[in-house]
Amino acid sequence: MRHPRASRASRAVGERDRGSLTLMLAVLMVALLALAGLVIDGGRKLNQSASAYAIAQEAARAGAGMVDRSAAYRSGTFQVDQGQALAAARAYLASAGYSGSVSTDGTQNIRVTVTVTGQTLVLSLIGIDTMTSTGSAIASLVTGVTGPGT
């Protein structure tokens, strides 16, 4: 036969702990969800950054290929036709569906900066709906097979 005091004491301890496992699981679930968001959306952000950089590189290359033909035929010097270069880089960005800034950097370089915005998958649950990545590249006009003047 059990002692009445002992059963009341053990029941009081059990009631005091009731629900503590639920609270711990709720906290762990939020932490795991945040960790999943960082992993999934963090990976997407890295991919988006690489994509922005690649787009900027290709647009800069498209612009740097616009040689001023009249100067090349006249004097044998190769330099970028700035008007055509800017138009070619902007046209590349437009055809790829992106916008960005395009400028010349001296007479031999084209600078392109592209900003890409994407949607988050998991972090949107905590209010972070978009992520933005910026890529920038400079392309130089180089003559010859292996470099300038060769």
Side-chain angles (χ1 to χ4, degrees):
M1 178 180 266
R2 284 203 244 174
H3 195 272
R5 253 189 196 171
S7 66
R8 252 189 272 140
S10 65
R11 204 173 339 145
V13 168
E15 288 176 7
R16 210 176 29 201
D17 290 339
R18 176 173 254 148
S20 63
L21 184 61
T22 305
L23 178 62
M24 182 180 73
L25 286 175
V27 169
L28 283 175
M29 191 60 161
V30 169
L32 286 173
L33 189 61
L35 183 62
L38 289 175
V39 169
I40 292 168
D41 289 329
R44 288 172 47 94
K45 169 82 171 170
L46 289 173
N47 189 26
Q48 181 177 291
S49 295
S51 179
Y53 180 67
I55 292 163
Q57 282 182 322
E58 290 301 316
R61 284 186 196 120
M66 296 297 130
V67 175
D68 184 351
R69 290 183 184 166
S70 63
Y73 288 134
R74 187 175 51 248
S75 64
T77 60
F78 294 92
Q79 60 187 12
V80 175
D81 183 333
Q82 291 186 355
Q84 287 182 357
L86 295 174
R90 287 186 184 118
Y92 181 86
L93 288 177
S95 70
Y98 297 97
S99 62
S101 66
V102 179
S103 62
T104 55
D105 190 14
T107 60
Q108 299 289 320
N109 300 322
I110 299 296
R111 178 186 303 269
V112 178
T113 302
V114 177
T115 301
V116 177
T117 302
Q119 300 295 319
T120 59
L121 293 177
V122 180
L123 292 178
S124 61
L125 297 173
I126 61 170
I128 302 172
D129 295 325
T130 60
M131 54 187 168
T132 304
S133 300
T134 302
S136 186
I138 298 174
S140 301
L141 176 64
V142 178
T143 59
V145 177
T146 60
T150 57

